[in-house]
Every structure is written in structure tokens, then in C-alpha cells.
Amino acid sequence: MLNYDQPPPRRHLLPAHWFCAADSFARESEALSIRLPWRYAGLVGDAVADGADVESCGGFLFHRQRTDAPPLANWLGPFAARLELMSPALAAPMGSDAVEFAANWKILVENTLDDFHGSTVHPHTIHPAVDADWRQHLHTQRHGPHSHSSWKLSAATAQWWEKLVARGNLSRFAAQDRYDHTFIFPDLYIASFHGTLVMVHRVVPLAVDRTRLEWRSFLPVDNPGDRKGDAFRRSLAAQLALSARQVIEEDRPLCEMVQAGRASATGPGMLGWREQRIGDVHDALAALLEA
Ligand SMILES: [Fe+2]
């Protein structure tokens, strides 16, 4: 339980040049490809580079980048079990999409790790889906630079999902009336709803001030041969794809404004108790960049 009577720990955030300068971006890209022990490489069934040293955790593939890397399960810590748990859903792809942001990739990561931004940036999309007393029900677990946050769904949203599961013959990898967000450093995050819909996001840096966010959605079913259920699921998939894009289009202008203002900030920001996931990412990057 967080003790809000105590001030949050002071975190050392990266200075602005890591968000704005092309030569810093080149140094960072090299550090991430050489010094990071493991990096997300895609999902089982994806084409991965020939000769790459790749291991799987459930349906998630990771590229071993260092010969002295710890075992993958150790690197992922408690989130290896979470990836395994969600993996059965990956057999049921529903769709994919991507949006480019005029912002540094770390701003997208900071944004997605900001557990408080739902109420302000997504007041009509994500925010009504979670319990009104969401602060009380929000649980966060951290392991090095990786982390997981879990929100209780509102009763109306949980009931909506119950009906979808029944009408669409959806299967659930877990009976969880929650919205879960798992982040694996530096570029993978997975959102899941009600223990059924799984959305795998990848943050792809293109330039110091340009990033593509790619995502793939999965909706597992109990009875894939059922034609009536198939038609319902296709309609549901189209609706969920539109909603997912709308949410990302709400994030994009915010991230782009932060990018535009970063260079003129008087110094690195301060993080509150609920923003420690962001501090963990800065710590891990600082260690990689200083090594
Ligand atoms: Fe968002």
C-alpha cells in the first residue's frame, strides 16, 4: 500500500537531449541493441532474423542480445507468468493497426506508464470503463524496468463483457474483471480486458522525434466453427478496432505537445507515487547509457 503521507522517492530523469538530439538517439539505439540482455522480437509464428538467438515465453519471443544475459525467466521476473497466462489468446488474431507519432519513443512509453492519464486524456473512452473508485482498486507491481498495473472494471463494463463472452462464445484465459497493462522494457506493452481481449503493442523508434506505435489484437473463442458466432465476432472486432484507434489518437497530440515542449523544459520533471513505473524506465536507460 502506498503511503501518501511520505514524499515519493526522488528519481533521476534523463535530460532533454535524449529526447531531442539526433546524435543522442544514435548512441541510445546502439546501447539498446548491444547492452540490453533481452529484447522483444515478436510473437510465435512471426518471421525473426535468421541466426538470431531467440527464446520464447509462452507466445512471446525475445532476442538474446548478450552472451552473459540472465535466463529469460529471470529477466522477466514475475511477468513471465503473466505472458504465459495471456498466450493462449494469441492463437486468435483479430486485427492489427499502427499510428506514427511526431515524438520520441520514450514519450510514448512515459504516456502508457502514466496510470493516472485515463481520466484526463481518455475521459469518454477508457475512463468510464474502469471503476469510479479506480484509485482504490489500482494495483501496480514492479520488477526492475518492467511493471504491471491492473484496474478494476466498472460493473457496467464487466457486465458488457459478460454478454459479449456469452454471445460471441469468447474464451477467457483468466476470470479477471480487470483491465491489465503489462510493460516489458523497453518497447513491449500488453493491454488485456476481462481476461479475454489481448492487445500487444510495440513502440518502434524511427528517429529521435518520430515513433510508430504498432498493435495487434486477439480475441480468443471457444467455438471457432460457429457461423453465427463468427459474424458477431467480426462485428465486435470492427467496433473494438475503431475504439482502439480512437484511444491512440487521443494519446498522439498529447505526446506530440510534450515532445515540442521538452527542449524548453527548465529541467527534468518530478514523479509522484503513481509515476514510479516511469522512473524505473529512466533508471534502466541511464544505466545502459552510462555503461
Ligand atoms: Fe492513453
Side-chain angles (χ1 to χ4, degrees), residues 69-146:
L72 178 59
N74 293 11
W75 164 251
L76 296 170
F79 309 122
R82 179 84 202 157
L83 298 187
E84 299 260 9
L85 180 73
M86 290 187 285
S87 288
L90 303 179
M94 184 182 83
S96 62
D97 205 346
V99 168
E100 282 196 20
F101 289 52
N104 183 268
W105 70 275
K106 295 185 290 299
I107 290 176
L108 277 73
V109 169
E110 291 179 343
N111 178 65
T112 197
L113 294 180
D114 173 7
D115 289 342
F116 268 22
H117 87 270
S119 57
T120 50
V121 182
H122 309 295
H124 306 297
T125 48
I126 289 182
H127 186 56
V130 298
D131 190 278
D133 196 7
W134 56 277
R135 291 174 182 82
Q136 189 65 30
H137 296 291
L138 172 58
H139 300 302
T140 298
Q141 187 179 12
R142 295 154 55 205
H143 175 78
H146 317 310

Side-chain angles (χ1 to χ4, degrees), residues 111-112 114 117-118 121-122 126 179 189 247-248 250-252 254:
N111 178 65
T112 197
D114 173 7
H117 87 270
V121 182
H122 309 295
I126 289 182
Y179 162 59
Y189 67 91
V247 166
I248 300 301
E250 289 169 349
D251 285 311
R252 188 173 57 80
L254 183 87

Side-chain angles (χ1 to χ4, degrees), residues 221-230 233:
V221 293
D222 263 343
N223 181 8
D226 159 31
R227 284 178 60 192
K228 202 171 158 191
D230 278 349
R233 285 191 295 271

